[in-house]
Amino acid sequence: MNPMIWVIDDDASIRFVFDKALDANSITHRLFENGEAALEAIKHETPDVIVSDIRMPGIDGLELIKAVHEIDENIPFIIMTAHSDLTAAIDAYEEGSFEYLPKPFDIEQAISVIRRAAVHRVNMLQMLNQKAKNEVAPVTEQTEEAEIIGKSPAMQEVFKFIGRVSKTDLPVLIHGEVGTGRGQVAKALHNHGERKGFKFVSLNMTSIPQEMVKYELFGDISKDLSQSAIMKADGGTLFINEISDMPMDCQNRLLQLIQKQEYSPIGSTEPMHANVRIIASTSHNLEEKINNGTFNSDLYYRLNIININIPPLRDRNNDIPMLAKHFLAQSAADSHTEPKKLTSEVLVFLCRLPWPGNVRQLKNLCKYLTIMVTGRDIQLVDLPSEFLHSNTPQNKAVSPVAANKENASWQDLLRTWVDGKLKSGEHDILAEAVPEFEKVMLEATLTFTGNHKQESAKLLGWGRNTLTRKIKELNLN
């Protein structure tokens, strides 16, 4: 694969860096100093990936995405910007960008993202070709798996675990709060493994009466054993959700299955063979359960060979925009309506909520909004009252500031300033705040270094050209 990469930036130094890096990696590319030139060129040739600055004279990055995607909606866009705020990231994502790179970025990281985007482009074209030939494989269990999405570092670690572990036959223990998607991770491990041609059977210990668990799991010799979970999963995968709630006698029987691939149905004196991979999950601390005598330590150590931790949604809130977009589209398809769209104001608000119900709570919210909102754009007032009055981290931080401003952190003071602006009905407050923030940072750093620009750029984490441009933009000459 030899993709064609276009780089669009009005900063000559950025184009120079990409030119050298892409040459060094033997990647074919073209450089443009503005969006107009790129749009003219796309009339005659088609790039595989476009890397573009978001703020440029003339056509900016977001306008460029719209214009290019009217021609070919499957060209991946990688958006660069020195203004690494949440709103810019949301805007770039909403317009269909593949990735978002805040400046300054590591050029090797950028090259890695470009390679991923190029592979994505190839996959998309192959899929489109298959559709054109009516050769699309039936969508069996892809819907649930598609919900494991996210670009946050925490989720990338989960994806790496799935990739490494799915090909093994070892037991897996998945840790995560309720609603984080433990079942989807278990399904992904099955679908990407050697057992994908066999059944994936799921049992939730919290939804089965304790006295019935052993019958559901191991079966009764006096009844139809083929209806037991183990028999159904033979050759495939048995997923036990909330294994911490499994009765102790069942834990001992399950340990026998993992150790010897044998189990004893209820009422049987002879063990039966079963070829089953065990994946378990819990939202509790199993070591505490061991200490209080409610969980088998041997079973824990057998299950804990491979341990996957799924982060709560509040720890990966930058994934909320893409998750919400996916769930809204899914809900619209289910109800045969046009997908709703969250305004930037709502997205920023949602990204600051604590989300005790995690991804499941967000999914349920999107179902509610699809049904209840009459217009296409979802406004802040459309959210249920429990969300609008939720005790967010932002709200928690305000009262201590009012009580003692002398001991307040700069983050608390900033929250107080934001709160005042919002209550006074002002809009576009980031446009006022970001330049002032950068101005204070620049002035303080230049004073600290005795106006030494190269040292100041290093301390701020900027390139020398970026610092020079900022000084000019903020009238600090």
Side-chain angles (χ1 to χ4, degrees):
M1 179 180 70
N2 187 19
M4 167 59 79
I5 312 301
W6 285 8
V7 177
I8 307 164
D9 199 307
D10 59 312
D11 189 333
S13 63
I14 296 292
R15 298 199 303 274
F16 176 82
V17 169
F18 270 103
D19 188 32
K20 295 301 180 185
L22 291 167
D23 271 342
N25 286 273
S26 301
I27 298 175
T28 307
H29 60 278
R30 287 190 64 182
L31 307 174
F32 301 86
E33 62 177 324
N34 57 59
E36 289 84 354
L39 285 178
E40 184 62 31
I42 208 170
K43 296 176 182 178
H44 312 288
E45 60 179 300
T46 304
D48 293 298
V49 178
I50 294 179
V51 184
S52 174
D53 192 14
I54 199 170
R55 298 175 188 260
M56 299 180 292
I59 298 177
D60 66 18
L62 299 182
E63 292 172 327
L64 187 61
I65 293 177
K66 290 180 183 177
V68 169
H69 281 176
E70 286 180 1
I71 300 169
D72 186 338
E73 64 180 0
N74 296 304
I75 297 176
F77 256 85
I78 299 169
I79 287 293
M80 305 177 289
T81 178
H83 302 263
S84 53
D85 58 81
L86 181 61
T87 304
I90 290 169
D91 289 344
Y93 172 73
E94 285 183 338
E95 294 303 336
S97 67
F98 175 82
E99 187 59 279
Y100 171 82
L101 288 175
K103 295 179 181 177
F105 50 79
D106 181 78
I107 188 62
E108 291 304 318
Q109 176 197 5
I111 295 297
S112 176
V113 173
I114 288 171
R115 291 190 187 280
R116 281 199 295 111
V119 171
H120 175 78
R121 167 75 168 171
V122 170
N123 291 339
M124 287 298 297
L125 293 177
Q126 288 177 345
M127 185 182 73
L128 291 172
N129 287 336
Q130 284 181 331
K131 284 183 178 180
K133 297 175 183 176
N134 294 320
E135 293 177 358
V136 181
V139 180
T140 53
E141 295 163 333
Q142 296 296 317
T143 304
E144 282 188 85
E145 196 173 324
E147 292 176 17
I148 316 175
I149 56 179
K151 296 180 182 178
S152 63
M155 285 308 295
Q156 293 302 315
E157 287 301 312
V158 173
F159 297 153
K160 288 178 186 176
F161 263 108
I162 292 173
R164 292 169 184 164
V165 176
S166 59
K167 301 302 181 185
T168 75
D169 235 8
L170 294 171
V172 178
L173 182 59
I174 304 171
H175 285 274
E177 295 179 8
V178 173
T180 50
R182 290 170 291 161
Q184 278 73 37
V185 170
K187 196 71 166 287
L189 286 168
H190 172 80
N191 287 342
H192 290 283
E194 302 299 327
R195 296 175 179 265
K196 63 184 178 182
F198 296 88
K199 283 190 175 181
F200 175 89
V201 178
S202 176
L203 276 186
N204 191 329
M205 293 296 102
T206 61
S207 62
I208 306 172
Q210 290 278 290
E211 65 275 10
M212 294 301 298
V213 170
K214 59 185 177 183
Y215 296 102
E216 292 282 340
L217 187 55
F218 303 101
D220 188 332
I221 196 68
S222 64
K223 299 179 181 178
D224 185 2
L225 286 179
S226 66
Q227 296 306 304
S228 68
I230 291 176
M231 286 286 281
K232 288 179 181 178
D234 193 28
T237 301
L238 175 60
F239 172 54
I240 304 173
N241 195 10
E242 292 295 6
I243 195 170
S244 54
D245 289 347
M246 178 180 282
M248 185 61 78
D249 64 326
C250 293
Q251 292 179 31
N252 297 332
R253 290 173 180 269
L254 183 63
L255 178 61
Q256 177 191 15
L257 175 63
I258 295 174
Q259 288 176 324
K260 301 180 179 180
Q261 290 192 322
E262 292 180 349
Y263 74 104
S264 299
I266 308 306
S268 173
T269 57
E270 295 293 329
M272 297 181 63
H273 176 77
N275 176 20
V276 178
R277 184 187 191 181
I278 302 296
I279 300 177
S281 83
T282 181
S283 60
H284 300 282
N285 187 325
L286 291 184
E287 292 182 353
E288 288 182 1
K289 296 275 186 179
I290 292 170
N291 292 335
N292 64 32
T294 58
F295 201 80
N296 186 313
S297 59
D298 288 339
L299 177 59
Y300 171 73
Y301 292 117
R302 284 284 182 176
L303 290 172
N304 203 38
I305 298 173
I306 304 293
N307 191 319
I308 298 179
N309 287 292
I310 308 178
L313 186 57
R314 62 183 174 274
D315 289 348
R316 57 179 189 110
N317 57 359
N318 55 336
D319 286 338
I320 288 174
M322 67 178 71
L323 283 166
K325 185 177 181 180
H326 168 74
F327 291 142
L328 287 170
Q330 191 178 69
S331 298
D334 291 342
S335 56
H336 307 289
T337 60
E338 184 184 7
K340 310 289 186 188
K341 182 179 179 183
L342 299 173
T343 62
S344 295
E345 181 185 25
V346 174
L347 278 171
V348 171
F349 180 82
L350 294 181
C351 287
R352 302 198 63 186
L353 292 178
W355 295 106
N358 292 295
V359 176
R360 186 183 301 162
Q361 185 182 12
L362 176 61
K363 182 178 182 179
N364 290 339
L365 172 65
C366 292
K367 289 181 179 179
Y368 168 88
L369 294 171
T370 298
I371 296 169
M372 299 303 294
V373 176
T374 54
R376 184 171 184 270
D377 291 338
I378 298 169
Q379 308 294 335
L380 206 55
V381 294
D382 295 321
L383 297 180
S385 58
E386 62 266 27
F387 284 87
L388 293 173
H389 301 138
S390 118
N391 194 18
T392 68
Q394 174 185 352
N395 293 333
K396 290 178 183 177
V398 174
S399 55
V401 178
N404 190 356
K405 288 189 177 181
E406 289 183 359
N407 296 325
S409 68
W410 69 268
Q411 293 98 329
D412 289 332
L413 294 172
L414 176 60
R415 289 188 184 100
T416 302
W417 179 86
V418 171
D419 190 56
K421 291 287 184 181
L422 294 174
K423 287 179 179 177
S424 64
E426 294 194 30
H427 298 277
D428 201 21
I429 57 176
L430 273 175
E432 178 184 352
V434 172
E436 287 300 318
F437 176 80
E438 291 180 339
K439 187 175 182 179
V440 170
M441 294 285 288
L442 263 171
E443 287 176 336
T445 308
L446 288 168
T447 300
F448 179 79
T449 62
N451 211 36
H452 192 289
K453 294 181 180 179
Q454 186 170 348
E455 182 64 19
S456 295
K458 183 178 179 182
L459 290 172
L460 288 168
W462 284 345
R464 173 65 183 272
N465 290 336
T466 300
L467 182 130
T468 302
R469 176 165 55 84
K470 288 291 182 183
I471 289 174
K472 184 177 180 181
E473 287 178 359
L474 299 170
N475 297 315
L476 294 179
N477 291 324

